[in-house]
Amino acid sequence: MRKEAEQGMVDDAVLRAKMQAELDRMGLTGDLAEQVVRELNFLACLLIEATEEGRFND
């Protein structure tokens, strides 16, 4: 599952650039900011994958 989700991930550098204002507002910098970006990217991919596979109950 993780491998498939990682294939659909946006480049972390691109995502970080889009999120930089929010990261700054939250005071996140350096390695912590990188970790947050990676984790959010991964979670977004898992959510997209689950939605596409219909794994949510109505």
Side-chain angles (χ1 to χ4, degrees):
M1 161 94 77
R2 185 174 178 109
K3 185 78 167 173
E4 292 88 12
E6 287 176 350
Q7 290 174 350
M9 292 174 71
V10 175
D11 182 78
D12 287 339
V14 171
L15 187 56
R16 180 166 181 167
K18 290 180 179 181
M19 295 178 61
Q20 192 59 55
E22 280 299 309
L23 293 169
D24 290 344
R25 189 183 65 76
M26 293 184 288
L28 297 173
T29 60
D31 291 341
L32 185 55
E34 291 297 325
Q35 181 180 356
V36 167
V37 169
R38 281 192 310 271
E39 294 298 327
L40 287 173
N41 197 2
F42 179 68
L43 290 172
C45 289
L46 287 179
L47 180 60
I48 291 166
E49 186 178 277
T51 301
E52 288 172 348
E53 293 177 3
R55 287 186 274 161
F56 291 109
N57 295 329
D58 292 328

